[in-house]
Amino acid sequence: MIFAHDTEVALRSVVNLVNTLDPLDADGGERLATGEDLDRFLLEEQFTGSRTHDAAELAGVRALRSRLRTLWDSTEDEAVELVNSLLSEARALPQLVKHDHWDWHLHATTPQAPLADRMGTEAAMAFVDVIRSKELDRLRVCSAGDCEAVLIDLTKNRSKRYCDTGNCANRAHVRAYRERKAAS
């Protein structure tokens, strides 16, 4: 484990949120089109706290997604600026909490804060660890030529090159195998 467990969970959630929009999909690639899509995402990612279940909440999460996506193309200074903005906007006040099946971990907003603020703050807190550890190079875009999904490489040897959204790694390995067979 490179980071604390709750940091790794938050980082994976950020990756999953960013990847709910596929810019290369001919149909627009929006996987957070409805409130039901957001409900499903939050259930899968185990987000808790209050909800308004309205269009503004969905729009807020989608706007957050766009802001978080910029981290994959940011310099360290740009990442710090975004992280600090997210924390400031949510008036973050970190504290240890324990709830549901989660042991002690950090929350920096109240459970009543708007969903996008809670999600943004959790992401920002995780990226605080990434930035302080000088690990921004673990943020990557999938190496598959036909994929723009993001990933975070949490492997010890920094070898992760493909996303988890589809079969990008399998397709690349099959392609390489066929090229080797054709060459021999």
Side-chain angles (χ1 to χ4, degrees):
M1 187 178 313
I2 296 162
F3 301 107
H5 175 72
D6 59 327
T7 297
E8 290 190 6
V9 168
L11 291 170
R12 286 186 185 104
S13 289
V14 171
V15 166
N16 293 338
L17 176 61
V18 170
N19 289 335
T20 61
L21 182 63
D22 182 357
L24 297 180
D25 188 321
D27 296 328
E30 178 61 72
R31 290 190 289 277
L32 282 182
T34 67
E36 291 78 24
D37 295 336
L38 180 58
D39 293 343
R40 192 170 27 263
F41 176 81
L42 296 173
L43 182 64
E44 289 170 4
E45 298 301 321
Q46 300 179 21
F47 275 95
T48 60
S50 67
R51 298 274 314 280
T52 59
H53 297 278
D54 60 12
E57 183 176 71
L58 178 59
V61 171
R62 288 169 67 173
L64 171 65
R65 173 184 63 193
S66 297
R67 292 178 76 190
L68 292 173
R69 174 58 180 90
T70 66
L71 288 166
W72 271 258
D73 303 314
S74 296
T75 65
E76 182 176 77
D77 288 342
E78 292 166 340
V80 167
E81 187 176 325
L82 175 58
V83 165
N84 284 341
S85 291
L86 290 169
L87 293 171
S88 175
E89 291 164 13
R91 295 180 181 89
L93 182 60
Q95 51 194 299
L96 286 168
V97 295
K98 185 192 291 191
H99 61 88
D100 301 321
H101 66 281
W102 299 101
D103 201 357
W104 291 111
H105 60 283
L106 280 174
H107 276 206
T109 60
T110 66
Q112 296 76 32
L115 177 62
D117 285 352
R118 290 195 322 271
M119 293 174 73
T121 301
E122 187 168 321
M125 293 296 292
F127 276 94
V128 163
D129 287 349
V130 172
I131 293 166
R132 288 177 49 207
S133 301
K134 301 289 187 194
E135 297 287 357
L136 275 173
D137 61 335
R138 290 183 178 275
L139 303 180
R140 306 213 175 114
V141 176
C142 184
S143 291
D146 59 346
C147 183
E148 287 289 318
V150 299
L151 60 104
I152 179 120
D153 182 359
L154 296 175
T155 63
K156 277 186 175 182
N157 64 359
R158 299 171 183 264
S159 61
K160 187 168 178 143
R161 295 178 47 216
Y162 299 100
C163 70
D164 296 325
T165 63
N167 295 316
C168 294
N170 281 347
R171 287 193 325 266
H173 295 305
V174 168
R175 189 178 318 113
Y177 171 78
R178 289 180 179 155
E179 289 170 2
R180 284 191 308 272
K181 288 296 254 183
S184 63

